[in-house]
Amino acid sequence: CNPTLRTHGYRYTDGEVPEIQVGEDTEATLLATLGSPSVRGTFEENTWYYITDTREYLAYLRPNTLARRVIAVRFDDDGTVAEVNEYDASDSRQVNYVARTTPTRGRELTLLEQVLGNVGRLPTDQISGQDNLPGGAGGPRRND
Amino acid sequence: CQGNRNRAELAYVARPVETLYNNAFRELERRRYTQAAALFDEVERQHPFSEWARRSMLMAAFANYQATRYEQAIANAERFIALHPGSSSAPYAYYLIAISHYERIYDVGRDQSTTQAAYDALQQVVRRFPDSPYARDARLKIDMTRDHLAGKDMDVGRWYLRNGFHLAAIGRFQNVVREYGTTSHVPEALHRLVEAYVAMGVAEEARQVAAVLGHNFPGSAWYQDSYTLLTSRGIDVPGEGIEESDPGLLRRAMSRIFG
Amino acid sequence: QPAQEQAPQLDAQSLQEEQGPVRVMQILVEGNQRVEADTILSYMLVRPGDVADPRLINLSMQTLFATNLFADVRVGIEGSTLVIFVRENPVINRVVLEGNRAINNSRITDEIQLQPRALFTRARVQADVQRILEIYRRSGRFAVQVNPQIVELPQNRVDLVFEISEGPTTGVRRINFVGNRAFSDRRLRSEVVTSEARWWRFFSSNDNYDPDRLEFDREQLREFYADRGYADFRVSSAIAELVPDQSGFYITYTVDEGQVYNFGEITVTTEIEDLSSEYLEAIVSTRPGSLYVGSRIEESVDTLTFAAGAAGYAFVDVRPRVRTNRETQTVDIEYVINPAPRVYIERIDILGNSRTLDRVIRRELELVEGDAFNQVLVNLSRQRVRRLGFFENVEITPVQGSSADRARLQVNVTEQPTGELAFGVGYSSTDSFLVDFSVSERNLRGRGQFLRFRVSESSRRRQIDIRFTEPRFLDRNLAAGFDLFQVRSNFSQEASFETESTGFSLRTGFPLTASVEGGLNFTLRNDEVRTFAGVSSAIARAAGSRLTSLVGYSVAWNRIDDFRRPTNGFQMSLNQEIAGFGGDVRYVRTEGRGAIYRNVFRSDIVLSLTGETGLILGWGGDDVRINDRFFKGGNSFRGFETAGIGPRVVQRNTEGELIRGDALGGNFYAIGALELGFPLGLPEQYGVRGSLFTEFGTMGILPSVDQIADVGGTTSAFTIDELAPRVSVGVSIFWDSPFGPVRFDFAEALVHQEYDRREFFRFSTSTGF
């Protein structure tokens, strides 16, 4: 049985990676050759990441990553390339993601509700704490 | 079967406006909101030009809101605003529209267009009537809708992360940090970014994000998770020392989050 | 009268010459009853103290008029005060519909804009008249007239009355085709959606005349012909003539079939140097010389896009240039592959899912945020989300992203109810009455899970089961689920025993390749067998209750073209169960089935060869009991009663003939069937098909412990077990009646054993609603 391959993220034209010259290339030249980065540094705007991920989808197995290429380009303040780092699949590490999540409001549909097909709504008292009358105490009566 | 006929469909009986209005009002008091809404509509229909018509339009909106018939409540209130934009209870009408949308927010796993509608309507209330009593509650609810929208990005981001789509996950968590910097999800978003970058082996970015998380939310459990994750992967966690090695990083980060 | 009235124009010049520039000190409003003066003033661009500039006044009059609140707006200047006369549009008190019988009030009032308390304008009334006409046209009534009446009421209020005269229903009496040589009228009629009105077709509304459906039908015809080599087929005209007495329509399609074409020269041209044309030309499904098939061109565009992507060119745009040349009757296609702009998807938003969870949809998408934009993958994603069956409509539209090379995908779904309440009644000559009731939900809690509770009861069998399936277990392409069941079967007539099995099973199903599906299951059940007094020892041995715990796997290879009515392709499946992981019963049961379908002579005649075989072996010293053995005959072997063939308890009577006793079932069976299905020449709409068939096969092998030797004489019963061949031949008639599928089988057992139970006629029907 033949797996299907799918490439996610940044796509290089015809496969080879153009050489990035430290000190010579600038943000402008990279934009021209490679185009804009997949993602920028969260707090370091002048770090660009080109992330490509080739994955194999086979029947019921969890899709596994065959190849990955991450090119991290750091520019110094005047926009020329200061440092280029490359990471590939071998750098990836096993991470068991924390199960806890930050709570959000909103109620799951109760089973009965779902089967009967009507959609429950978000009770405001659960959120704003005041009684359910809009505008807290008093309604239109108050200001007429 | 088409469901029971709407009992509130009243026979067309012309009655003096005061009695009509008072009947409607009594229904409202007795919390029979659907009947109240129908009676208030009747007032407006039979005496469209009376002072009572103007008030019952709004009362009908409120009754529909209480009866969780949000579309009708919004329609009534919008018609009131179109006809009486200058009236003293216009702020209340805008507010009623906003909280009607607010009530229809689904949980983060589902469509968020009602959340967006609520957010826009609440913004209107705050922008048009900044010092009205409704603005205070509207501001409170705005924070909750933003928190809810951030929750949506987190929900999708976590799904991408769990399924190994690191780039997609990073995009979503960065969006939370940039667009919803003041919501309750920022600490988790930062930790998830650390997880994603560690999973890809990009230690440098993971360290930087962990540093910002530690600096801004030192006590949070999320920083604890990041700390254990980094140290267990042999990546040294920048303690206070980060400021010397890269002055201004924290300042830039802070401005980015709370800018 | 123009639909949109013109706003009254203040003629600027007259104002100017008369008094020259006038400074307005005060603005008055007159004629307003409902709308407050300050509301009107808020729209005025001229404030007290300004110069009365006619342009501004004109503009404010237009804005006032656009609010639809006023029937007329006029402005005059008296001295230094600007006076605005308004005549408000009346308010609608009631909207009354008269004369509408076919369509009830609520359906019309939902559609029209004018409601009680709304403002009355002539433009809106005209618009609503059109809406009412449209509603009637959609339900097939074209001879309807609507004229609105106004009833003046005090306080500038009006009652609006729509007088509707519906006229007769305009169904489609006949559809005929002109100019079609290659395919018969009847064949073409089955291709178009619009159907001729027939008395038994009360459920469908497809027999009403509807112009947009006519357009859709033209496209259906074009696709039908294009897939059969008619490259320049054209529907030159599609006319619907109203019958003189307005009782219905005749629809005539004039078609110009043109010639049959083959694919001529197929070339792939691209500027991208190292995409080799030869390789690409080889993988395209439009093969030179083969019959022209329109849908293959679209297929080839997809294949080429994928190939370019795989070769590292994610951003390509493939355009087929089609050139038909009449002389050589060939169609040349040149696929031009151009580089497309490099656009990435920055965000995928899913909208409209008020019940289904975001991830249930997102996991079906072929694209992920950050990926290169690829229209083929977008189409594929749309198909996969539609295949979930939870949505009426699915649209994926790309939207401009935050920068030039970024796009956002909006996945818009409209939910549809996925809960079903099904109730079926059936009758068959063997099972007599069959009642089937089930409640199911295909999108449980918006998680895409399936839950069904079902009860089915007939004279010989009662089954109660609950089934749950999670289609994407652990977010993988792996379906998993469980069943709780209780099955009570009554074989008293055939083999004088009854069984009641109660238990549960856990199962998983997963695709191995595109057409091969695997499955694993574990079942734990308690079988209780009750036999009647005085029954032969072969059956009595099975009495009592036992726990069966078994593990099974299945593999199915599926290459047929249409699941409901296969015309080409083949299907093979194998499944095996090993009982004995705990429990009291130990056996290995293996069953295999294969089927090949071929079109012969014409596209609606199908020859099928099916074969199935099964073997069950006890192990660990355990002999297979009767309730686990195979029973063949009836539906599984036409020409014989249920459990009509195979080992049996018999007794010799005085003349030496064998008297049939109870069936004992067998450990092995092999049955084949050769069947030729064909339409019975009746018009397609009756939905009647027939088939000639022959079935051949055998069943046998009784465990030795259940065999009773023939000691001769007429007193003692004994068991007979020969793997003798049986052959039957017969005719079946299938009718898709409006009440449900009905089936008649007439079969004659040519080769059989003396002790087999034969059956000539079998009838069954079932209705679901």
Short mmCIF file of all heavy atoms in Angstrom, two decimals, chain C residues 377-403:
data_model
loop_
_atom_site.label_atom_id
_atom_site.label_comp_id
_atom_site.label_asym_id
_atom_site.label_seq_id
_atom_site.Cartn_x
_atom_site.Cartn_y
_atom_site.Cartn_z
N LEU C 377 -6.15 21.14 -4.13
CA LEU C 377 -6.34 20.66 -2.75
C LEU C 377 -7.56 21.30 -2.11
O LEU C 377 -8.25 20.67 -1.30
CB LEU C 377 -5.08 20.97 -1.92
CG LEU C 377 -3.84 20.12 -2.29
CD1 LEU C 377 -2.67 20.50 -1.41
CD2 LEU C 377 -4.15 18.64 -2.13
N VAL C 378 -7.86 22.55 -2.54
CA VAL C 378 -9.07 23.20 -2.00
C VAL C 378 -10.30 22.42 -2.48
O VAL C 378 -11.18 22.09 -1.68
CB VAL C 378 -9.14 24.68 -2.47
CG1 VAL C 378 -10.51 25.26 -2.18
CG2 VAL C 378 -8.05 25.50 -1.82
N ASN C 379 -10.32 22.06 -3.77
CA ASN C 379 -11.49 21.29 -4.28
C ASN C 379 -11.58 19.95 -3.56
O ASN C 379 -12.67 19.51 -3.16
CB ASN C 379 -11.35 21.05 -5.80
CG ASN C 379 -11.24 22.37 -6.55
OD1 ASN C 379 -11.59 23.43 -5.99
ND2 ASN C 379 -10.72 22.34 -7.76
N LEU C 380 -10.45 19.30 -3.39
CA LEU C 380 -10.45 18.00 -2.71
C LEU C 380 -10.99 18.14 -1.29
O LEU C 380 -11.82 17.34 -0.83
CB LEU C 380 -8.99 17.50 -2.68
CG LEU C 380 -8.78 15.98 -2.72
CD1 LEU C 380 -9.46 15.38 -3.94
CD2 LEU C 380 -7.29 15.64 -2.72
N SER C 381 -10.55 19.22 -0.62
CA SER C 381 -11.01 19.44 0.78
C SER C 381 -12.52 19.62 0.80
O SER C 381 -13.22 19.04 1.64
CB SER C 381 -10.33 20.69 1.36
OG SER C 381 -8.95 20.59 1.21
N ARG C 382 -13.02 20.39 -0.17
CA ARG C 382 -14.47 20.67 -0.18
C ARG C 382 -15.23 19.35 -0.34
O ARG C 382 -16.19 19.06 0.39
CB ARG C 382 -14.81 21.61 -1.35
CG ARG C 382 -16.28 21.96 -1.45
CD ARG C 382 -16.48 23.14 -2.41
NE ARG C 382 -17.92 23.35 -2.62
CZ ARG C 382 -18.62 22.70 -3.53
NH1 ARG C 382 -18.01 21.84 -4.33
NH2 ARG C 382 -19.91 22.91 -3.65
N GLN C 383 -14.72 18.47 -1.24
CA GLN C 383 -15.39 17.17 -1.43
C GLN C 383 -15.39 16.38 -0.12
O GLN C 383 -16.40 15.81 0.28
CB GLN C 383 -14.63 16.36 -2.47
CG GLN C 383 -15.14 16.50 -3.88
CD GLN C 383 -14.11 15.92 -4.85
OE1 GLN C 383 -13.36 15.01 -4.48
NE2 GLN C 383 -14.05 16.47 -6.04
N ARG C 384 -14.24 16.38 0.56
CA ARG C 384 -14.16 15.53 1.76
C ARG C 384 -15.08 16.05 2.85
O ARG C 384 -15.71 15.28 3.58
CB ARG C 384 -12.70 15.49 2.25
CG ARG C 384 -11.86 14.57 1.36
CD ARG C 384 -10.48 14.35 1.91
NE ARG C 384 -10.50 13.94 3.32
CZ ARG C 384 -9.39 13.69 3.99
NH1 ARG C 384 -8.23 13.80 3.38
NH2 ARG C 384 -9.42 13.35 5.26
N VAL C 385 -15.22 17.39 2.98
CA VAL C 385 -16.13 17.91 4.02
C VAL C 385 -17.57 17.60 3.62
O VAL C 385 -18.39 17.21 4.46
CB VAL C 385 -15.91 19.44 4.18
CG1 VAL C 385 -16.91 20.01 5.17
CG2 VAL C 385 -14.49 19.72 4.65
N ARG C 386 -17.87 17.70 2.32
CA ARG C 386 -19.25 17.39 1.89
C ARG C 386 -19.57 15.93 2.18
O ARG C 386 -20.68 15.57 2.57
CB ARG C 386 -19.43 17.65 0.39
CG ARG C 386 -19.50 19.12 0.03
CD ARG C 386 -19.30 19.28 -1.46
NE ARG C 386 -20.46 18.77 -2.18
CZ ARG C 386 -21.45 19.55 -2.55
NH1 ARG C 386 -21.42 20.83 -2.22
NH2 ARG C 386 -22.45 19.08 -3.21
N ARG C 387 -18.54 15.05 2.04
CA ARG C 387 -18.81 13.62 2.21
C ARG C 387 -19.17 13.28 3.65
O ARG C 387 -19.71 12.22 3.93
CB ARG C 387 -17.57 12.81 1.79
CG ARG C 387 -17.94 11.50 1.10
CD ARG C 387 -16.74 10.73 0.61
NE ARG C 387 -15.94 11.48 -0.35
CZ ARG C 387 -14.60 11.43 -0.38
NH1 ARG C 387 -13.97 10.69 0.52
NH2 ARG C 387 -13.91 12.10 -1.25
N LEU C 388 -18.91 14.21 4.61
CA LEU C 388 -19.30 13.94 6.01
C LEU C 388 -20.81 13.77 6.10
O LEU C 388 -21.32 13.05 6.96
CB LEU C 388 -18.86 15.11 6.90
CG LEU C 388 -17.36 15.26 7.17
CD1 LEU C 388 -17.10 16.57 7.90
CD2 LEU C 388 -16.87 14.09 7.99
N GLY C 389 -21.53 14.48 5.21
CA GLY C 389 -22.98 14.31 5.21
C GLY C 389 -23.67 15.12 6.30
O GLY C 389 -24.83 14.92 6.61
N PHE C 390 -22.92 16.08 6.94
CA PHE C 390 -23.56 16.87 8.02
C PHE C 390 -24.07 18.20 7.49
O PHE C 390 -24.70 18.94 8.24
CB PHE C 390 -22.54 17.18 9.13
CG PHE C 390 -21.87 15.94 9.69
CD1 PHE C 390 -20.61 16.03 10.25
CD2 PHE C 390 -22.49 14.70 9.63
CE1 PHE C 390 -19.98 14.90 10.76
CE2 PHE C 390 -21.86 13.57 10.13
CZ PHE C 390 -20.60 13.66 10.70
N PHE C 391 -23.73 18.53 6.23
CA PHE C 391 -24.00 19.90 5.81
C PHE C 391 -24.80 19.92 4.51
O PHE C 391 -24.59 19.11 3.62
CB PHE C 391 -22.67 20.67 5.57
CG PHE C 391 -21.75 20.58 6.75
CD1 PHE C 391 -20.57 19.88 6.66
CD2 PHE C 391 -22.11 21.17 7.96
CE1 PHE C 391 -19.74 19.77 7.77
CE2 PHE C 391 -21.29 21.06 9.06
CZ PHE C 391 -20.10 20.36 8.97
N GLU C 392 -25.73 20.89 4.42
CA GLU C 392 -26.47 21.06 3.18
C GLU C 392 -25.53 21.57 2.10
O GLU C 392 -25.60 21.20 0.96
CB GLU C 392 -27.52 22.16 3.41
CG GLU C 392 -28.95 21.72 3.47
CD GLU C 392 -29.77 22.86 4.04
OE1 GLU C 392 -29.82 23.91 3.35
OE2 GLU C 392 -30.26 22.73 5.15
N ASN C 393 -24.64 22.50 2.53
CA ASN C 393 -23.80 23.16 1.54
C ASN C 393 -22.44 23.45 2.15
O ASN C 393 -22.35 23.77 3.34
CB ASN C 393 -24.47 24.47 1.10
CG ASN C 393 -23.70 25.08 -0.06
OD1 ASN C 393 -22.87 24.39 -0.66
ND2 ASN C 393 -23.96 26.33 -0.35
N VAL C 394 -21.38 23.27 1.37
CA VAL C 394 -20.02 23.56 1.83
C VAL C 394 -19.34 24.40 0.76
O VAL C 394 -19.35 24.03 -0.42
CB VAL C 394 -19.20 22.26 2.01
CG1 VAL C 394 -17.78 22.60 2.42
CG2 VAL C 394 -19.85 21.35 3.03
N GLU C 395 -18.83 25.57 1.13
CA GLU C 395 -18.09 26.41 0.16
C GLU C 395 -16.77 26.80 0.80
O GLU C 395 -16.75 27.15 1.98
CB GLU C 395 -18.89 27.68 -0.16
CG GLU C 395 -20.17 27.46 -0.96
CD GLU C 395 -19.96 26.63 -2.22
OE1 GLU C 395 -18.85 26.64 -2.78
OE2 GLU C 395 -20.91 25.90 -2.59
N ILE C 396 -15.68 26.70 0.02
CA ILE C 396 -14.39 27.18 0.52
C ILE C 396 -13.95 28.33 -0.38
O ILE C 396 -13.75 28.11 -1.59
CB ILE C 396 -13.33 26.05 0.50
CG1 ILE C 396 -13.85 24.84 1.29
CG2 ILE C 396 -12.01 26.55 1.08
CD1 ILE C 396 -12.85 23.71 1.41
N THR C 397 -13.92 29.54 0.17
CA THR C 397 -13.55 30.70 -0.68
C THR C 397 -12.25 31.31 -0.15
O THR C 397 -12.14 31.58 1.04
CB THR C 397 -14.66 31.77 -0.60
OG1 THR C 397 -15.13 31.78 0.76
CG2 THR C 397 -15.81 31.46 -1.53
N PRO C 398 -11.28 31.49 -1.08
CA PRO C 398 -10.04 32.18 -0.68
C PRO C 398 -10.31 33.69 -0.58
O PRO C 398 -11.09 34.23 -1.37
CB PRO C 398 -9.07 31.87 -1.83
CG PRO C 398 -9.90 31.44 -2.98
CD PRO C 398 -11.25 31.02 -2.48
N VAL C 399 -9.70 34.32 0.42
CA VAL C 399 -9.90 35.77 0.65
C VAL C 399 -8.50 36.38 0.77
O VAL C 399 -7.57 35.71 1.25
CB VAL C 399 -10.69 35.96 1.97
CG1 VAL C 399 -10.70 37.41 2.42
CG2 VAL C 399 -12.10 35.41 1.83
N GLN C 400 -8.36 37.64 0.32
CA GLN C 400 -7.04 38.30 0.40
C GLN C 400 -6.55 38.31 1.85
O GLN C 400 -7.33 38.60 2.77
CB GLN C 400 -7.17 39.75 -0.12
CG GLN C 400 -5.88 40.55 -0.05
CD GLN C 400 -4.73 39.85 -0.76
OE1 GLN C 400 -4.95 39.22 -1.81
NE2 GLN C 400 -3.55 39.87 -0.18
N GLY C 401 -5.29 37.96 2.07
CA GLY C 401 -4.77 37.90 3.44
C GLY C 401 -4.18 39.23 3.87
O GLY C 401 -4.47 40.27 3.29
N SER C 402 -3.28 39.17 4.89
CA SER C 402 -2.76 40.43 5.48
C SER C 402 -1.71 41.03 4.55
O SER C 402 -1.34 42.18 4.70
CB SER C 402 -2.11 40.10 6.83
OG SER C 402 -1.08 39.15 6.59
N SER C 403 -1.18 40.28 3.58
CA SER C 403 -0.22 40.90 2.65
C SER C 403 -0.42 40.27 1.27
O SER C 403 -1.18 39.31 1.13
CB SER C 403 1.21 40.63 3.13
OG SER C 403 1.45 39.23 3.00
#
